[in-house]
Amino acid sequence: MAQFHFLDMNDARRPSEFPRISERYRAETMAVWYPPSRRKLFAGKPQPIEVHVVDLSVAGALFGAPTNPAMELGSKVKVQFDEVWGVSVIRNVRASSSPALSFYGVSFFQMSTELEMKVMDLVVAIKSTS
């Protein structure tokens, strides 16, 4: 089984500075999340944003998403894989080579049984194609 760890070429930090609870695997799937509104004056209702799942594990994921300055470490964000809902917690934020895109390392928070099963199914599918 091939194992991948994502590290942006412009990121000077070492992988050891991002401790992993479980192994992450390269994912080719999408998800939807509801980050805080980027509006400064009047906080709007969070809108669904499609994110690219770069890495996935049973404990968390690395999302490629539009840069949002309202996203801070420790923020809780609703996430959806297909029709299964859950909550993720932002653990790290990294800039990419494009200012419009950032990478968000998240861990899953209070996973429902449905989300656990969905993530397990995705991880198994990824591992079987590696």
Side-chain angles (χ1 to χ4, degrees):
M1 276 178 270
Q3 176 181 332
F4 300 97
H5 292 285
F6 181 82
L7 192 61
D8 190 23
M9 297 304 292
N10 297 326
D11 194 344
R13 296 173 286 185
R14 295 181 307 280
S16 62
E17 294 178 36
F18 301 104
R20 301 266 188 252
I21 295 172
S22 62
E23 295 302 322
R24 285 193 178 165
Y25 299 92
R26 174 76 72 191
E28 292 298 329
T29 188
M30 300 298 282
V32 174
W33 71 353
Y34 293 78
S37 174
R38 290 189 256 182
R39 295 175 65 184
K40 299 280 189 216
L41 207 44
F42 301 102
K45 182 179 177 184
Q47 297 298 311
I49 304 290
E50 192 170 56
V51 296
H52 181 76
V53 181
V54 179
D55 287 340
L56 182 66
S57 77
V58 294
L62 181 65
F63 295 143
T67 300
N68 184 340
M71 300 291 281
E72 298 175 347
L73 297 181
S75 296
K76 292 184 176 108
V77 181
K78 286 184 182 178
V79 65
Q80 179 182 3
F81 290 92
D82 296 326
E83 296 300 317
V84 181
W85 290 86
V87 177
S88 62
V89 178
I90 305 297
R91 293 294 176 204
N92 66 62
V93 180
R94 294 180 264 169
S96 74
S97 53
S98 166
L101 179 71
S102 292
F103 295 103
Y104 297 92
V106 303
S107 60
F108 298 123
F109 179 74
Q110 293 182 344
M111 293 175 72
S112 65
T113 303
E114 294 84 14
L115 182 59
E116 284 181 30
M117 296 307 295
K118 181 64 180 175
V119 170
M120 290 283 201
D121 290 345
L122 289 169
V123 169
V124 167
I126 292 165
K127 288 169 82 171
S128 67
T129 60
S130 302

